[in-house]
Amino acid sequence: MKRPALKNLLQTYGTVLALIVIAAVFSIIRPTQFCTLKNFINITRQISLLVMISLGATLAMSVNEFDLSVGSMASLGGVMAALLAVRGLPMAVCFLVPVAISFCVGLLNGWIVARFRVLSFITTLGMSTVLSGVIYRLSGGATVFEGIPKSFSVLGTAKLGGIPLLSILMAAFTALFFFLLEHTPTGRKFYAIGGGEETARIAGIRVKKYKTLAFALCAVMACITGMLIASRVGSANTTAGDGYFLQSYAAVFIGCTVSRKGIPNAIGTLVGAAILGVLANGLTILQMPSYMQSIITGGIIILSVIAQRAGRGDQR
């Protein structure tokens, strides 16, 4: 294969091919355990929460920013929803109030970053610390589990036609964010800002408004993820969202390699999360030590970035 053709192949299909190869390897090694419909459905459930929080991170990255508070926002969302459920409030209230609060927190993050041009790393890191304090104040540092009604667990555990509701929600949110980013003026403005803030401003785009909106939606998706985590396990841990922070951005970075332009996108984020999920599932079936799982997963992330840059011809 000629070098330009190989570059084009890596650029266009490299990440998807990597997912297929990884799944094929595990299918060959453990066909009766990995390569089953039941396990594939299980993988969709396992990655569903990661995909949803990663879609929020995708929006933040589309405007060339980062939100380091997504983990704490997820933890806070779960704690707030659980505490409201313990008080006996209707489930709609238990899930909608945290969403409204997270939207306001995201607006504040975006406003500070856009209005004062503060680095998003610093702003959201500070907000993460603030949210951690709020979580401790609300929960006393303890897991919330006593008095949670069974109805609270419906969203996280229900199935429709044998398909986990979490998997269905994942597909719905992915479709929604794909449409938002690829087929709406708002999505095009997000990408324009990410491509060059000054150019976007000269083109008449209200940069502050759309940056703030991106942060607000990112916080909402983190909150929704946290509430679903709590619903799935029937309790709210004060650090439940922390483990999703690095993985969410890993999924987005891997997903960027799906786009020919190397930009964050919803389908790419889904593929990135799927790669991480398939790896975790397959390595667990192989009884691989956790430290080896981390090494292999990190290696895959690095290789995916190298492949994407090679496809763009950016290597030096």
Side-chain angles (χ1 to χ4, degrees):
M1 183 180 292
K2 294 181 179 180
R3 189 173 182 181
L6 178 60
K7 286 183 179 180
N8 187 62
L9 180 65
L10 288 172
Q11 180 182 3
T12 310
Y13 303 110
T15 308
V16 177
L17 287 174
L19 175 59
I20 294 172
V21 169
I22 293 169
V25 169
F26 287 131
S27 297
I28 293 171
I29 297 175
R30 290 287 190 274
T32 59
Q33 294 174 280
F34 180 85
C35 192
T36 65
L37 178 60
K38 181 180 179 180
N39 189 50
F40 288 149
I41 292 176
N42 182 48
I43 290 174
T44 66
R45 180 182 60 81
Q46 289 174 342
I47 70 171
S48 59
L49 297 169
L50 174 59
V51 170
M52 283 185 266
I53 195 171
S54 299
L55 287 171
T58 301
L59 284 188
M61 285 188 62
S62 72
V63 294
N64 201 29
E65 300 289 358
F66 292 89
D67 187 345
L68 303 188
S69 66
V70 290
S72 295
M73 189 70 252
S75 299
L76 179 60
V79 168
M80 286 192 295
L83 288 174
L84 291 173
V86 169
R87 291 178 176 273
L89 295 175
M91 285 301 112
V93 175
C94 294
F95 288 105
L96 290 177
V97 169
V99 167
I101 293 174
S102 67
F103 186 79
C104 293
V105 172
L107 285 178
L108 179 59
N109 276 336
W111 180 75
I112 293 173
V113 171
R115 173 66 178 81
F116 299 102
R117 297 195 176 188
V118 181
L119 290 175
S120 57
F121 281 98
I122 303 301
T123 302
T124 56
L125 180 61
M127 181 59 71
S128 178
T129 304
V130 170
L131 295 179
S132 295
V134 173
I135 292 170
Y136 188 86
R137 175 65 181 85
L138 291 176
S139 66
T143 299
V144 181
F145 64 92
E146 291 187 1
I148 295 180
K150 291 184 179 180
S151 56
F152 182 75
S153 299
V154 171
L155 284 178
T157 59
K159 292 185 177 181
L160 296 178
I163 306 298
L165 181 57
L166 288 177
S167 301
I168 296 172
L169 289 173
M170 173 189 70
F173 275 117
T174 301
L176 176 63
F177 276 69
F178 172 78
F179 180 78
L180 171 65
L181 287 172
E182 305 293 338
H183 299 287
T184 68
T186 298
R188 289 190 286 271
K189 289 172 182 176
F190 283 158
Y191 282 138
I193 294 170
E197 188 173 323
E198 290 303 321
T199 302
R201 185 175 286 107
I202 293 172
I205 296 174
R206 298 172 64 183
V207 173
K208 295 178 182 178
K209 171 185 175 181
Y210 287 98
K211 269 198 174 186
T212 302
L213 178 60
F215 275 99
L217 293 178
C218 178
V220 166
M221 289 307 298
C223 178
I224 290 174
T225 302
M227 293 189 297
L228 291 175
I229 293 171
S231 176
R232 179 180 170 184
V233 301
S235 63
N237 190 294
T238 56
T239 59
D242 292 356
Y244 286 86
F245 164 60
L246 290 177
Q247 281 204 330
S248 65
Y249 281 100
V252 180
F253 274 113
I254 294 174
C256 288
T257 66
V258 174
S259 168
R260 293 179 64 86
K261 297 180 181 179
I263 58 177
N265 62 98
I267 299 301
T269 294
L270 175 63
V271 174
I275 288 177
L276 295 175
V278 168
L279 273 173
N281 181 270
L283 293 174
T284 299
I285 289 175
L286 294 178
Q287 298 182 335
M288 192 75 66
S290 59
Y291 73 88
M292 281 301 300
Q293 293 187 31
S294 298
I295 292 172
I296 294 173
T297 301
I300 291 292
I301 295 171
I302 294 171
L303 288 174
S304 68
V305 175
I306 292 174
Q308 189 266 344
R309 290 182 64 85
R312 291 172 54 191
D314 291 340
Q315 72 276 25
R316 293 290 183 263

